[in-house]
Amino acid sequence: MVFRVAFVAGVTPDKWLDTFRRRFPGILLDAHPVETVRQRAVLLDDDADVCFVRLPVDREGLHCIPLYRELPVVVVPLEHVVSAYDEIALADLAGEQLVYGDVPDWPEVAAVEQLPFPDMTAREAVDVVASGTGIAIMPMSVARLHHRNDVTHRIVTGVPDTQVGLAWRIDADDPRIETFIGIVRGRTENTSRGSADPAAAPPAGSIPGSKPGSKAGSKAGPKGGSKPGPSPAPGGRTSARAKPKPRGRPTRKRR
């Protein structure tokens, strides 16, 4: 059965996918991008086993672990005054038209009447910015993904960071999910949970680490209940305890 991994724009899961393929070459992987608006639905509709999501996400029916945070940037035309700075404060963008971006404080910050822009994807927003109509605020990785030669981006302060996480269904009972989570969290092959083949489980009643045919609780030892003898010394001789030499003054031999 194929293990399906979905990811939103800006996330590059290649390193984790490569590690999974290397450790478990017998498991087929299907990795595909998904729009942020469908990041939850792709799991609930059983179109993916796990999904790299952009938080916040409605967690009802889902498990989700946060992975890392991303800085927000403002995308502007290449010749825009913002391009002269390394970073810009949100308040300094008050005179701009916000084409795209989840900025809760924007209604209070904006100093000009905003145009009624329709909903659009990040790629479409970058195209609108390139036309000189306005600005867009998005995670840095998304801005890099949709970069054009006629736009640039700068870090914007005063906007909350965004966070990427890994989500899966609560009712999903698949050992491959646990294995993939371990890889994403940096679990190595040498760890017990990172090295086990998720496609194979030990036989019922077996003891982890035991050899086939061995019985539980048996210990290796000498046969017949004999006690171990002295350890052989170097050269093959059995080491024996040396007898103590008599003490006292040496006796003289009579003539």
Side-chain angles (χ1 to χ4, degrees):
M1 185 182 295
V2 178
F3 186 62
R4 303 159 301 170
V5 180
F7 56 94
V8 295
V11 176
T12 51
D14 295 355
K15 61 179 180 180
W16 299 307
L17 297 175
D18 291 343
T19 300
F20 190 92
R21 289 191 184 100
R22 187 178 67 253
R23 294 185 189 177
F24 310 106
I27 299 178
L28 296 178
L29 273 178
D30 172 38
H32 58 276
V34 64
E35 293 292 339
T36 305
V37 293
R38 289 206 70 245
Q39 62 181 5
R40 185 171 183 270
V42 74
L43 293 170
L44 298 180
D45 294 344
D46 197 24
D47 292 329
D49 298 299
V50 296
C51 182
F52 289 94
V53 299
R54 200 171 296 281
L55 304 179
V57 64
D58 183 359
R59 301 196 182 192
E60 184 177 358
L62 300 178
H63 287 303
C64 185
I65 54 173
L67 298 177
Y68 59 89
R69 308 190 71 88
E70 285 190 300
L71 291 173
V73 299
V74 57
V75 182
V76 297
L78 189 61
E79 301 299 327
H80 197 281
V81 64
V82 169
S83 62
Y85 300 90
D86 292 328
E87 64 180 38
I88 191 79
L90 180 64
D92 293 331
L93 302 172
E96 302 287 345
Q97 293 287 336
L98 183 63
V99 173
Y100 175 92
D102 183 13
V103 186
D105 296 336
W106 185 249
E108 290 76 27
V109 172
V112 296
E113 184 178 355
Q114 297 294 291
L115 298 175
F117 292 101
D119 292 339
M120 62 185 78
T121 65
R123 181 184 293 276
E124 293 169 342
V126 172
D127 293 340
V128 174
V129 170
S131 69
T133 305
I135 63 173
I137 294 177
M138 60 187 66
M140 181 180 290
S141 64
V142 179
R144 288 176 174 173
L145 177 65
H146 301 308
H147 177 71
R148 293 174 41 141
N149 291 333
D150 50 359
V151 300
T152 187
H153 62 268
R154 294 292 185 270
I155 296 173
V156 57
T157 60
V159 178
D161 296 348
T162 57
Q163 193 169 25
V164 172
L166 182 65
W168 66 98
R169 294 195 320 275
I170 289 177
D171 61 351
D173 185 16
D174 189 338
R176 299 175 302 176
I177 294 178
E178 181 65 28
T179 300
F180 190 77
I181 293 170
I183 290 175
V184 172
R185 283 180 160 175
R187 194 175 296 152
T188 65
E189 288 185 272
N190 295 329
T191 59
S192 58
R193 300 173 75 182
S195 58
D197 187 346
S206 63
I207 303 172
S210 62
K211 295 182 180 180
S214 61
K215 296 182 179 179
S218 62
K219 297 182 179 180
K223 296 181 179 180
S226 60
K227 296 182 180 180
S231 303
R237 298 181 180 178
T238 303
S239 61
R241 198 169 185 180
K243 294 182 179 180
K245 294 182 180 181
R247 295 182 179 180
R249 297 176 61 184
T251 55
R252 293 185 180 181
K253 192 175 183 180
R254 293 184 180 181
R255 296 181 179 178

